[in-house]
Amino acid sequence: MGSHSHEVTDAILDTLKRAGSGLKEVGVRFALAGGCAGYARGAAPSLHDVDFALVEEDVPLALKTLENMGFRTERPPEDWLVKAFDEEGVLVDLIFQLADRPVTPEMIGRATMINTAALSLPVLEATDLVISWILPLSEHSCDYSGLLPTVRAMREQVDWDRVAGVAESSPYASTFLVLLERLGVIEKPTPVPVDRWP
């Protein structure tokens, strides 16, 4: 099981490297998101696919670029992402809305260049990343167990006051912050009023 897990992780990182390199070369405004971004920021690998956040205007260029590289692309019914699959079937999600909000050039501008899979790629700012994970929590999808170890590994990179300001609108997101506080992962944050996110 362990060796298979390594093979899956290696395949995903290879796809991340290929796709990220291609998008970077043509100037798509994007940043690594999801589990791969958590991994790039020091969390344990729990990788199922590659997630890139990008500005919606750049979706056609991103799709064309990946198609030219041999990826099969797909526009699913969901109106917040498009998909691309490499020859090995590894999925790349191109996400232009996070937590029902459009990905903005400002969010991409806050991304940090981090060496990931031997390639320097923009990775979503840790604060934006945590917000993108906890805002979608709801009555029907409220699994804190997967988030805990990842967020714990990244806690010192996150502006928790800003997270708390955004999370105030969601009982599920704000409760997760209380859990982090009770577990001693973070100090009690002082919510910073946020006009809008992202």
Side-chain angles (χ1 to χ4, degrees):
M1 179 69 180
S3 65
H4 174 68
S5 170
H6 280 302
E7 287 169 16
V8 170
T9 298
D10 288 346
I12 289 170
L13 292 177
D14 285 345
T15 302
L16 183 161
K17 188 174 176 179
R18 278 187 61 221
S21 177
L23 297 179
K24 189 176 168 185
E25 194 173 312
V26 298
V28 170
R29 292 168 291 176
F30 77 98
L32 196 57
C36 286
Y39 172 68
R41 289 194 167 276
S46 176
L47 312 179
H48 309 288
D49 55 19
V50 178
D51 292 331
F52 290 125
L54 74 166
V55 179
E56 186 170 6
E57 291 171 8
D58 290 0
V59 168
L61 176 58
L63 285 177
K64 182 181 176 187
T65 300
L66 294 180
E67 285 169 358
N68 290 343
M69 295 172 67
F71 285 74
R72 175 175 62 81
T73 61
E74 182 182 302
R75 289 184 178 270
E78 298 91 341
D79 59 0
W80 49 274
L81 85 169
V82 292
K83 297 176 177 289
F85 300 84
D86 71 4
E87 297 87 341
E88 305 300 319
V90 176
L91 169 63
V92 176
D93 281 332
L94 301 171
I95 301 166
F96 48 88
Q97 284 186 27
L98 288 169
D100 294 326
R101 293 158 171 82
V103 174
T104 62
E106 290 77 17
M107 175 189 276
I108 300 303
R110 291 194 296 268
T112 311
M113 296 300 289
I114 297 178
N115 196 291
T116 311
L119 178 69
S120 182
L121 286 175
V123 178
L124 277 185
E125 180 193 50
T127 302
D128 286 330
L129 197 53
V130 169
I131 291 170
S132 78
W133 289 336
I134 68 173
L135 268 193
L137 293 171
S138 69
E139 183 178 349
H140 305 291
S141 177
C142 192
D143 181 7
Y144 293 152
S145 62
L147 282 174
L148 268 172
T150 304
V151 169
R152 182 182 277 120
M154 293 169 40
R155 64 187 181 277
E156 293 175 0
Q157 305 172 49
V158 177
D159 179 344
W160 291 106
D161 293 344
R162 192 169 137 234
V163 172
V166 177
E168 279 189 320
S169 64
S170 163
Y172 301 96
S174 52
T175 299
F176 181 63
L177 297 188
V178 173
L179 178 62
L180 292 178
E181 183 194 335
R182 293 287 300 274
L183 292 173
V185 175
I186 64 172
E187 299 290 327
K188 181 177 177 62
T190 303
V192 172
V194 176
D195 292 336
R196 66 185 188 85
W197 183 85

